[in-house]
mmCIF file of all heavy atoms in Angstrom:
data_model
loop_
_atom_site.group_PDB
_atom_site.id
_atom_site.type_symbol
_atom_site.label_atom_id
_atom_site.label_comp_id
_atom_site.label_asym_id
_atom_site.label_seq_id
_atom_site.Cartn_x
_atom_site.Cartn_y
_atom_site.Cartn_z
ATOM 1 N N HIS A 13 -54.451 226.266 -192.470
ATOM 2 C CA HIS A 13 -54.493 227.533 -193.080
ATOM 3 C C HIS A 13 -53.132 228.280 -193.093
ATOM 4 O O HIS A 13 -52.791 228.999 -193.985
ATOM 5 C CB HIS A 13 -55.596 228.552 -192.251
ATOM 6 C CG HIS A 13 -56.894 228.112 -192.569
ATOM 7 N ND1 HIS A 13 -57.632 228.635 -193.735
ATOM 8 C CD2 HIS A 13 -57.892 227.424 -191.807
ATOM 9 C CE1 HIS A 13 -58.895 228.324 -193.633
ATOM 10 N NE2 HIS A 13 -59.097 227.576 -192.489
ATOM 11 N N GLU A 14 -52.347 227.933 -192.055
ATOM 12 C CA GLU A 14 -51.006 228.578 -191.927
ATOM 13 C C GLU A 14 -50.006 228.017 -192.996
ATOM 14 O O GLU A 14 -49.059 228.659 -193.290
ATOM 15 C CB GLU A 14 -50.511 228.410 -190.591
ATOM 16 C CG GLU A 14 -51.304 229.105 -189.447
ATOM 17 C CD GLU A 14 -50.789 228.900 -188.110
ATOM 18 O OE1 GLU A 14 -49.610 229.173 -187.899
ATOM 19 O OE2 GLU A 14 -51.449 228.455 -187.200
ATOM 20 N N THR A 15 -50.296 226.844 -193.486
ATOM 21 C CA THR A 15 -49.378 226.243 -194.467
ATOM 22 C C THR A 15 -49.936 226.340 -195.843
ATOM 23 O O THR A 15 -49.375 225.802 -196.863
ATOM 24 C CB THR A 15 -49.147 224.795 -194.073
ATOM 25 O OG1 THR A 15 -50.268 224.023 -194.125
ATOM 26 C CG2 THR A 15 -48.454 224.651 -192.808
ATOM 27 N N GLY A 16 -51.124 226.816 -196.014
ATOM 28 C CA GLY A 16 -51.790 226.882 -197.433
ATOM 29 C C GLY A 16 -52.392 225.567 -197.809
ATOM 30 O O GLY A 16 -52.503 225.312 -199.035
ATOM 31 N N GLU A 17 -52.760 224.728 -196.866
ATOM 32 C CA GLU A 17 -53.289 223.515 -197.209
ATOM 33 C C GLU A 17 -54.792 223.255 -196.832
ATOM 34 O O GLU A 17 -55.274 222.264 -196.998
ATOM 35 C CB GLU A 17 -52.525 222.344 -196.420
ATOM 36 C CG GLU A 17 -51.118 222.178 -196.866
ATOM 37 C CD GLU A 17 -50.294 221.262 -196.024
ATOM 38 O OE1 GLU A 17 -50.242 221.419 -194.791
ATOM 39 O OE2 GLU A 17 -49.849 220.266 -196.640
ATOM 40 N N GLU A 18 -55.392 224.428 -196.309
ATOM 41 C CA GLU A 18 -56.810 224.428 -195.928
ATOM 42 C C GLU A 18 -57.438 225.737 -196.266
ATOM 43 O O GLU A 18 -56.813 226.758 -196.268
ATOM 44 C CB GLU A 18 -56.933 224.097 -194.452
ATOM 45 C CG GLU A 18 -56.443 222.702 -193.964
ATOM 46 C CD GLU A 18 -56.588 222.424 -192.581
ATOM 47 O OE1 GLU A 18 -57.055 223.208 -191.883
ATOM 48 O OE2 GLU A 18 -56.017 221.290 -192.122
ATOM 49 N N VAL A 19 -58.765 225.600 -196.558
ATOM 50 C CA VAL A 19 -59.474 226.875 -196.884
ATOM 51 C C VAL A 19 -60.910 226.650 -196.329
ATOM 52 O O VAL A 19 -61.380 225.582 -195.982
ATOM 53 C CB VAL A 19 -59.690 227.010 -198.458
ATOM 54 C CG1 VAL A 19 -58.222 227.316 -199.053
ATOM 55 C CG2 VAL A 19 -60.346 225.809 -199.097
ATOM 56 N N ASP A 20 -61.598 227.749 -196.218
ATOM 57 C CA ASP A 20 -63.051 227.882 -195.905
ATOM 58 C C ASP A 20 -63.675 228.358 -197.183
ATOM 59 O O ASP A 20 -63.243 229.330 -197.744
ATOM 60 C CB ASP A 20 -63.293 228.789 -194.795
ATOM 61 C CG ASP A 20 -62.609 228.221 -193.419
ATOM 62 O OD1 ASP A 20 -62.415 227.028 -193.375
ATOM 63 O OD2 ASP A 20 -62.461 229.135 -192.481
ATOM 64 N N ILE A 21 -64.796 227.743 -197.639
ATOM 65 C CA ILE A 21 -65.592 228.285 -198.704
ATOM 66 C C ILE A 21 -66.945 228.674 -198.228
ATOM 67 O O ILE A 21 -67.524 228.041 -197.305
ATOM 68 C CB ILE A 21 -65.530 227.277 -199.897
ATOM 69 C CG1 ILE A 21 -66.309 225.916 -199.531
ATOM 70 C CG2 ILE A 21 -64.171 227.013 -200.404
ATOM 71 C CD1 ILE A 21 -66.541 225.027 -200.659
ATOM 72 N N ALA A 22 -67.418 229.712 -198.941
ATOM 73 C CA ALA A 22 -68.745 230.190 -198.524
ATOM 74 C C ALA A 22 -69.824 229.185 -198.711
ATOM 75 O O ALA A 22 -69.938 228.449 -199.734
ATOM 76 C CB ALA A 22 -69.068 231.474 -199.310
ATOM 77 N N CYS A 23 -70.684 229.172 -197.696
ATOM 78 C CA CYS A 23 -71.812 228.183 -197.781
ATOM 79 C C CYS A 23 -72.847 228.635 -196.741
ATOM 80 O O CYS A 23 -72.555 228.543 -195.562
ATOM 81 C CB CYS A 23 -71.309 226.764 -197.477
ATOM 82 S SG CYS A 23 -72.559 225.529 -197.507
ATOM 83 N N VAL A 24 -74.076 229.096 -197.171
ATOM 84 C CA VAL A 24 -75.026 229.676 -196.192
ATOM 85 C C VAL A 24 -76.273 228.896 -196.005
ATOM 86 O O VAL A 24 -76.939 229.029 -195.100
ATOM 87 C CB VAL A 24 -75.251 231.113 -196.463
ATOM 88 C CG1 VAL A 24 -74.039 231.944 -196.231
ATOM 89 C CG2 VAL A 24 -75.878 231.277 -197.924
ATOM 90 N N THR A 25 -76.474 227.880 -196.939
ATOM 91 C CA THR A 25 -77.733 227.190 -196.820
ATOM 92 C C THR A 25 -77.478 225.694 -196.611
ATOM 93 O O THR A 25 -76.351 225.137 -197.048
ATOM 94 C CB THR A 25 -78.695 227.356 -198.126
ATOM 95 O OG1 THR A 25 -78.046 226.664 -199.190
ATOM 96 C CG2 THR A 25 -78.928 228.794 -198.401
ATOM 97 N N SER A 26 -78.326 224.943 -196.146
ATOM 98 C CA SER A 26 -78.164 223.466 -195.891
ATOM 99 C C SER A 26 -78.137 222.812 -197.234
ATOM 100 O O SER A 26 -77.382 221.858 -197.392
ATOM 101 C CB SER A 26 -79.294 222.909 -195.034
ATOM 102 O OG SER A 26 -80.550 223.107 -195.559
ATOM 103 N N GLN A 27 -78.870 223.339 -198.312
ATOM 104 C CA GLN A 27 -78.772 222.715 -199.594
ATOM 105 C C GLN A 27 -77.347 222.819 -200.182
ATOM 106 O O GLN A 27 -76.825 222.030 -200.823
ATOM 107 C CB GLN A 27 -79.723 223.338 -200.530
ATOM 108 C CG GLN A 27 -79.872 222.851 -201.860
ATOM 109 C CD GLN A 27 -80.914 223.443 -202.804
ATOM 110 O OE1 GLN A 27 -81.502 224.376 -202.419
ATOM 111 N NE2 GLN A 27 -80.885 223.022 -204.039
ATOM 112 N N GLU A 28 -76.757 224.042 -199.996
ATOM 113 C CA GLU A 28 -75.335 224.214 -200.537
ATOM 114 C C GLU A 28 -74.370 223.346 -199.785
ATOM 115 O O GLU A 28 -73.504 222.691 -200.434
ATOM 116 C CB GLU A 28 -74.842 225.756 -200.192
ATOM 117 C CG GLU A 28 -75.404 226.773 -201.169
ATOM 118 C CD GLU A 28 -74.833 228.169 -200.770
ATOM 119 O OE1 GLU A 28 -75.183 228.582 -199.638
ATOM 120 O OE2 GLU A 28 -74.270 228.713 -201.684
ATOM 121 N N ARG A 29 -74.517 223.227 -198.459
ATOM 122 C CA ARG A 29 -73.652 222.293 -197.729
ATOM 123 C C ARG A 29 -73.856 220.833 -198.275
ATOM 124 O O ARG A 29 -72.840 220.182 -198.473
ATOM 125 C CB ARG A 29 -73.995 222.349 -196.249
ATOM 126 C CG ARG A 29 -73.475 223.539 -195.552
ATOM 127 C CD ARG A 29 -73.620 223.419 -194.020
ATOM 128 N NE ARG A 29 -74.996 223.826 -193.648
ATOM 129 C CZ ARG A 29 -75.480 225.006 -193.492
ATOM 130 N NH1 ARG A 29 -74.811 226.022 -193.893
ATOM 131 N NH2 ARG A 29 -76.669 225.183 -193.176
ATOM 132 N N TRP A 30 -75.046 220.406 -198.436
ATOM 133 C CA TRP A 30 -75.226 219.165 -198.994
ATOM 134 C C TRP A 30 -74.654 218.897 -200.379
ATOM 135 O O TRP A 30 -73.936 217.949 -200.702
ATOM 136 C CB TRP A 30 -76.702 218.754 -199.101
ATOM 137 C CG TRP A 30 -77.047 217.452 -199.743
ATOM 138 C CD1 TRP A 30 -77.607 217.218 -200.965
ATOM 139 C CD2 TRP A 30 -76.708 216.165 -199.208
ATOM 140 N NE1 TRP A 30 -77.666 215.932 -201.144
ATOM 141 C CE2 TRP A 30 -77.155 215.208 -200.084
ATOM 142 C CE3 TRP A 30 -76.110 215.744 -198.041
ATOM 143 C CZ2 TRP A 30 -76.963 213.787 -199.908
ATOM 144 C CZ3 TRP A 30 -75.896 214.413 -197.815
ATOM 145 C CH2 TRP A 30 -76.392 213.447 -198.726
ATOM 146 N N GLN A 31 -74.748 219.921 -201.255
ATOM 147 C CA GLN A 31 -74.173 219.847 -202.632
ATOM 148 C C GLN A 31 -72.659 219.657 -202.499
ATOM 149 O O GLN A 31 -72.037 218.889 -203.201
ATOM 150 C CB GLN A 31 -74.490 221.067 -203.442
ATOM 151 C CG GLN A 31 -76.009 221.045 -203.868
ATOM 152 C CD GLN A 31 -76.410 222.416 -204.417
ATOM 153 O OE1 GLN A 31 -75.673 223.439 -204.407
ATOM 154 N NE2 GLN A 31 -77.551 222.422 -205.021
ATOM 155 N N ILE A 32 -72.026 220.470 -201.633
ATOM 156 C CA ILE A 32 -70.559 220.531 -201.493
ATOM 157 C C ILE A 32 -70.124 219.108 -200.966
ATOM 158 O O ILE A 32 -69.177 218.470 -201.515
ATOM 159 C CB ILE A 32 -70.024 221.652 -200.681
ATOM 160 C CG1 ILE A 32 -70.377 223.021 -201.370
ATOM 161 C CG2 ILE A 32 -68.607 221.571 -200.326
ATOM 162 C CD1 ILE A 32 -70.221 224.159 -200.560
ATOM 163 N N ILE A 33 -70.629 218.750 -199.923
ATOM 164 C CA ILE A 33 -70.261 217.544 -199.284
ATOM 165 C C ILE A 33 -70.525 216.304 -200.184
ATOM 166 O O ILE A 33 -69.609 215.394 -200.235
ATOM 167 C CB ILE A 33 -70.963 217.384 -197.952
ATOM 168 C CG1 ILE A 33 -70.519 218.487 -196.912
ATOM 169 C CG2 ILE A 33 -70.575 216.012 -197.253
ATOM 170 C CD1 ILE A 33 -69.121 218.659 -196.741
ATOM 171 N N SER A 34 -71.663 216.351 -200.879
ATOM 172 C CA SER A 34 -71.888 215.198 -201.800
ATOM 173 C C SER A 34 -70.844 215.223 -202.965
ATOM 174 O O SER A 34 -70.452 214.174 -203.369
ATOM 175 C CB SER A 34 -73.271 215.379 -202.431
ATOM 176 O OG SER A 34 -74.255 215.252 -201.440
ATOM 177 N N ALA A 35 -70.516 216.347 -203.450
ATOM 178 C CA ALA A 35 -69.472 216.480 -204.544
ATOM 179 C C ALA A 35 -68.141 216.020 -203.947
ATOM 180 O O ALA A 35 -67.370 215.321 -204.682
ATOM 181 C CB ALA A 35 -69.434 217.866 -205.012
ATOM 182 N N VAL A 36 -67.844 216.279 -202.728
ATOM 183 C CA VAL A 36 -66.465 215.826 -202.100
ATOM 184 C C VAL A 36 -66.453 214.297 -202.113
ATOM 185 O O VAL A 36 -65.407 213.717 -202.412
ATOM 186 C CB VAL A 36 -66.274 216.446 -200.744
ATOM 187 C CG1 VAL A 36 -65.190 215.638 -199.944
ATOM 188 C CG2 VAL A 36 -66.074 217.933 -200.839
ATOM 189 N N PHE A 37 -67.512 213.660 -201.739
ATOM 190 C CA PHE A 37 -67.545 212.190 -201.626
ATOM 191 C C PHE A 37 -68.127 211.466 -202.903
ATOM 192 O O PHE A 37 -68.424 210.310 -202.780
ATOM 193 C CB PHE A 37 -68.427 211.794 -200.494
ATOM 194 C CG PHE A 37 -67.635 212.123 -199.114
ATOM 195 C CD1 PHE A 37 -67.924 213.294 -198.466
ATOM 196 C CD2 PHE A 37 -66.640 211.367 -198.684
ATOM 197 C CE1 PHE A 37 -67.301 213.597 -197.253
ATOM 198 C CE2 PHE A 37 -65.984 211.647 -197.499
ATOM 199 C CZ PHE A 37 -66.300 212.786 -196.779
ATOM 200 N N GLU A 38 -68.198 212.181 -203.994
ATOM 201 C CA GLU A 38 -68.757 211.554 -205.239
ATOM 202 C C GLU A 38 -68.065 210.292 -205.662
ATOM 203 O O GLU A 38 -68.710 209.438 -206.232
ATOM 204 C CB GLU A 38 -68.748 212.567 -206.316
ATOM 205 C CG GLU A 38 -69.664 212.328 -207.476
ATOM 206 C CD GLU A 38 -69.712 213.652 -208.425
ATOM 207 O OE1 GLU A 38 -70.500 214.429 -208.120
ATOM 208 O OE2 GLU A 38 -68.887 213.595 -209.397
ATOM 209 N N SER A 39 -66.766 210.204 -205.505
ATOM 210 C CA SER A 39 -66.004 209.027 -205.924
ATOM 211 C C SER A 39 -65.490 208.312 -204.708
ATOM 212 O O SER A 39 -65.806 208.714 -203.600
ATOM 213 C CB SER A 39 -64.817 209.450 -206.770
ATOM 214 O OG SER A 39 -63.913 210.211 -206.016
ATOM 215 N N LYS A 40 -64.909 207.047 -204.955
ATOM 216 C CA LYS A 40 -64.499 206.274 -203.931
ATOM 217 C C LYS A 40 -63.429 206.954 -203.006
ATOM 218 O O LYS A 40 -63.276 206.671 -201.754
ATOM 219 C CB LYS A 40 -63.987 204.932 -204.417
ATOM 220 C CG LYS A 40 -65.035 204.008 -204.985
ATOM 221 C CD LYS A 40 -64.472 202.701 -205.417
ATOM 222 C CE LYS A 40 -65.623 201.857 -205.991
ATOM 223 N NZ LYS A 40 -65.074 200.479 -206.401
ATOM 224 N N GLN A 41 -62.674 207.802 -203.639
ATOM 225 C CA GLN A 41 -61.590 208.554 -202.967
ATOM 226 C C GLN A 41 -62.099 209.966 -202.809
ATOM 227 O O GLN A 41 -62.142 210.785 -203.808
ATOM 228 C CB GLN A 41 -60.327 208.535 -203.730
ATOM 229 C CG GLN A 41 -59.260 209.337 -203.153
ATOM 230 C CD GLN A 41 -58.022 208.637 -202.792
ATOM 231 O OE1 GLN A 41 -57.934 207.496 -203.144
ATOM 232 N NE2 GLN A 41 -57.036 209.257 -202.174
ATOM 233 N N PRO A 42 -62.467 210.408 -201.567
ATOM 234 C CA PRO A 42 -62.884 211.782 -201.353
ATOM 235 C C PRO A 42 -61.769 212.839 -201.832
ATOM 236 O O PRO A 42 -60.601 212.505 -201.834
ATOM 237 C CB PRO A 42 -63.062 211.950 -199.829
ATOM 238 C CG PRO A 42 -63.220 210.539 -199.429
ATOM 239 C CD PRO A 42 -62.364 209.644 -200.292
ATOM 240 N N LEU A 43 -62.261 214.069 -202.200
ATOM 241 C CA LEU A 43 -61.267 215.027 -202.725
ATOM 242 C C LEU A 43 -60.341 215.534 -201.551
ATOM 243 O O LEU A 43 -59.256 215.923 -201.837
ATOM 244 C CB LEU A 43 -62.045 216.146 -203.287
ATOM 245 C CG LEU A 43 -62.794 215.848 -204.556
ATOM 246 C CD1 LEU A 43 -63.568 217.129 -205.103
ATOM 247 C CD2 LEU A 43 -61.873 215.320 -205.729
ATOM 248 N N PHE A 44 -60.947 215.660 -200.343
ATOM 249 C CA PHE A 44 -60.200 216.276 -199.273
ATOM 250 C C PHE A 44 -60.068 215.300 -198.073
ATOM 251 O O PHE A 44 -60.808 214.500 -197.849
ATOM 252 C CB PHE A 44 -60.888 217.512 -198.871
ATOM 253 C CG PHE A 44 -61.078 218.577 -199.928
ATOM 254 C CD1 PHE A 44 -62.219 218.603 -200.796
ATOM 255 C CD2 PHE A 44 -60.034 219.501 -200.134
ATOM 256 C CE1 PHE A 44 -62.291 219.498 -201.765
ATOM 257 C CE2 PHE A 44 -60.170 220.417 -201.228
ATOM 258 C CZ PHE A 44 -61.246 220.357 -202.088
ATOM 259 N N ARG A 45 -58.972 215.497 -197.310
ATOM 260 C CA ARG A 45 -58.684 214.700 -196.163
ATOM 261 C C ARG A 45 -59.378 215.368 -194.916
ATOM 262 O O ARG A 45 -59.649 214.590 -193.862
ATOM 263 C CB ARG A 45 -57.232 214.631 -195.948
ATOM 264 C CG ARG A 45 -56.565 213.742 -196.993
ATOM 265 C CD ARG A 45 -55.012 213.651 -196.631
ATOM 266 N NE ARG A 45 -54.431 212.682 -197.500
ATOM 267 C CZ ARG A 45 -53.142 212.786 -197.923
ATOM 268 N NH1 ARG A 45 -52.412 213.704 -197.478
ATOM 269 N NH2 ARG A 45 -52.733 211.935 -198.769
ATOM 270 N N ARG A 46 -59.547 216.617 -194.925
ATOM 271 C CA ARG A 46 -60.144 217.334 -193.762
ATOM 272 C C ARG A 46 -61.309 218.100 -194.225
ATOM 273 O O ARG A 46 -61.337 218.803 -195.190
ATOM 274 C CB ARG A 46 -59.110 218.370 -193.133
ATOM 275 C CG ARG A 46 -57.943 217.664 -192.771
ATOM 276 C CD ARG A 46 -57.026 218.635 -191.985
ATOM 277 N NE ARG A 46 -56.302 217.961 -190.923
ATOM 278 C CZ ARG A 46 -56.503 218.316 -189.705
ATOM 279 N NH1 ARG A 46 -57.242 219.357 -189.342
ATOM 280 N NH2 ARG A 46 -55.966 217.677 -188.724
ATOM 281 N N ILE A 47 -62.474 217.887 -193.533
ATOM 282 C CA ILE A 47 -63.757 218.506 -193.894
ATOM 283 C C ILE A 47 -64.414 218.935 -192.529
ATOM 284 O O ILE A 47 -64.454 218.293 -191.461
ATOM 285 C CB ILE A 47 -64.603 217.568 -194.613
ATOM 286 C CG1 ILE A 47 -64.040 217.032 -195.831
ATOM 287 C CG2 ILE A 47 -66.031 218.261 -194.787
ATOM 288 C CD1 ILE A 47 -64.750 215.900 -196.403
ATOM 289 N N GLY A 48 -64.870 220.284 -192.459
ATOM 290 C CA GLY A 48 -65.521 220.709 -191.428
ATOM 291 C C GLY A 48 -66.802 221.534 -191.869
ATOM 292 O O GLY A 48 -66.699 222.090 -192.946
ATOM 293 N N ILE A 49 -67.881 221.570 -191.055
ATOM 294 C CA ILE A 49 -68.993 222.311 -191.483
ATOM 295 C C ILE A 49 -69.388 223.320 -190.546
ATOM 296 O O ILE A 49 -69.562 223.125 -189.357
ATOM 297 C CB ILE A 49 -70.103 221.305 -191.688
ATOM 298 C CG1 ILE A 49 -69.860 220.221 -192.694
ATOM 299 C CG2 ILE A 49 -71.486 222.084 -192.080
ATOM 300 C CD1 ILE A 49 -70.788 219.171 -192.820
ATOM 301 N N GLY A 50 -69.423 224.557 -190.935
ATOM 302 C CA GLY A 50 -69.868 225.692 -190.142
ATOM 303 C C GLY A 50 -71.163 226.284 -190.604
ATOM 304 O O GLY A 50 -71.771 225.786 -191.582
ATOM 305 N N LYS A 51 -71.646 227.226 -189.879
ATOM 306 C CA LYS A 51 -72.987 227.992 -190.319
ATOM 307 C C LYS A 51 -72.852 228.626 -191.659
ATOM 308 O O LYS A 51 -73.833 228.605 -192.390
ATOM 309 C CB LYS A 51 -73.469 228.885 -189.330
ATOM 310 C CG LYS A 51 -74.132 228.231 -188.070
ATOM 311 C CD LYS A 51 -74.585 229.353 -187.182
ATOM 312 C CE LYS A 51 -75.406 228.652 -186.004
ATOM 313 N NZ LYS A 51 -76.084 229.681 -185.306
ATOM 314 N N THR A 52 -71.732 229.245 -191.938
ATOM 315 C CA THR A 52 -71.557 230.025 -193.177
ATOM 316 C C THR A 52 -70.426 229.626 -194.085
ATOM 317 O O THR A 52 -70.071 230.188 -195.032
ATOM 318 C CB THR A 52 -71.308 231.536 -192.704
ATOM 319 O OG1 THR A 52 -70.141 231.601 -192.052
ATOM 320 C CG2 THR A 52 -72.427 232.044 -192.036
ATOM 321 N N PHE A 53 -69.910 228.449 -193.756
ATOM 322 C CA PHE A 53 -68.764 227.951 -194.492
ATOM 323 C C PHE A 53 -68.628 226.463 -194.442
ATOM 324 O O PHE A 53 -69.062 225.815 -193.510
ATOM 325 C CB PHE A 53 -67.405 228.660 -194.174
ATOM 326 C CG PHE A 53 -67.020 228.299 -192.752
ATOM 327 C CD1 PHE A 53 -66.131 227.238 -192.492
ATOM 328 C CD2 PHE A 53 -67.441 228.969 -191.631
ATOM 329 C CE1 PHE A 53 -65.758 226.892 -191.185
ATOM 330 C CE2 PHE A 53 -67.126 228.617 -190.306
ATOM 331 C CZ PHE A 53 -66.210 227.493 -190.045
#
């Protein structure tokens, strides 16, 4: 976050989390190198 290379995006339901994570891993090369899951992001 201090270098502008990471963000948190809003996500409040398990369905939203699943959609986001599924989209990240949709191809053989994931879009992001770092992924974390919180209650609201």
Side-chain angles (χ1 to χ4, degrees):
H13 282 280
E14 294 179 55
T15 60
E17 297 176 297
E18 297 179 2
V19 295
D20 296 336
I21 61 173
C23 178
V24 294
T25 69
S26 58
Q27 182 179 6
E28 282 180 300
R29 281 186 284 282
W30 175 249
Q31 290 169 348
I32 292 166
I33 299 304
S34 295
V36 166
F37 288 101
E38 196 170 277
S39 65
K40 289 182 181 181
Q41 174 123 7
L43 294 178
F44 299 92
R45 292 183 173 148
R46 296 180 147 248
I47 300 167
I49 301 172
K51 282 187 175 186
T52 60
F53 66 93

